Amino acid sequence: QVQLVESGGGLVQAGGSLRLSCAASGSIIHLNGMGWYRQIPGKQRELVALITNGGSTNYKDSVKGRFTISRDDAKNTVYLQMNSLKPEDTAVYYCNKRQFGIDFWGQGTQVTVSS
């Protein structure tokens, strides 16, 4: 089992910044394949940023240039730095790890961007 715990969400004004953290524990092999998703009520969860299995990064088009996913292998932690936040970034953000074909999720952290 892999346990994921997110932190760092909150309320911020448009144009502001937040940094989300996802601390992984348990039977995690490595941080490749970890990503951040977000979901608003009534809509499907969508991928925001990903560290691929090869270690590269991918981003949703609408966050490119504003969000950065990074990792600290010593702390088994993945971060999502979010700059120039917009009201449309408001959502619950979830950390995800896919390992051996199984998806593990954190509990989610609310990000609210006011206009």
Side-chain angles (χ1 to χ4, degrees):
Q1 290 291 321
V2 173
Q3 292 80 44
L4 303 172
V5 179
E6 301 105 334
S7 61
L11 173 63
V12 65
Q13 287 189 330
S17 298
L18 284 173
R19 189 178 79 155
L20 306 182
S21 300
C22 174
S25 61
S27 304
I28 187 163
I29 305 300
H30 51 63
L31 297 182
N32 287 352
M34 287 193 69
W36 287 96
Y37 289 71
R38 66 188 183 189
Q39 188 171 24
I40 61 175
K43 292 203 171 182
Q44 283 193 323
R45 198 169 292 188
E46 62 179 12
L47 177 64
V48 176
L50 175 69
I51 300 175
T52 70
N53 287 329
S56 61
T57 56
N58 288 337
Y59 296 92
K60 178 180 173 62
D61 282 348
S62 63
V63 308
K64 285 180 181 177
R66 300 188 298 121
F67 290 12
T68 303
I69 189 170
S70 62
R71 61 197 288 174
D72 184 334
D73 290 79
K75 296 182 178 179
N76 261 0
T77 299
V78 172
Y79 304 96
L80 184 67
Q81 178 67 43
M82 305 185 294
N83 299 328
S84 301
L85 281 160
K86 304 175 180 180
E88 52 263 42
D89 295 318
T90 295
V92 178
Y93 284 71
Y94 296 90
C95 181
N96 168 270
K97 167 65 176 173
R98 176 164 289 186
Q99 185 164 287
F100 302 132
I102 300 172
D103 279 313
F104 298 94
W105 296 93
Q107 81 285 357
T109 185
Q110 176 71 46
V111 171
T112 302
V113 185
S114 63
S115 57

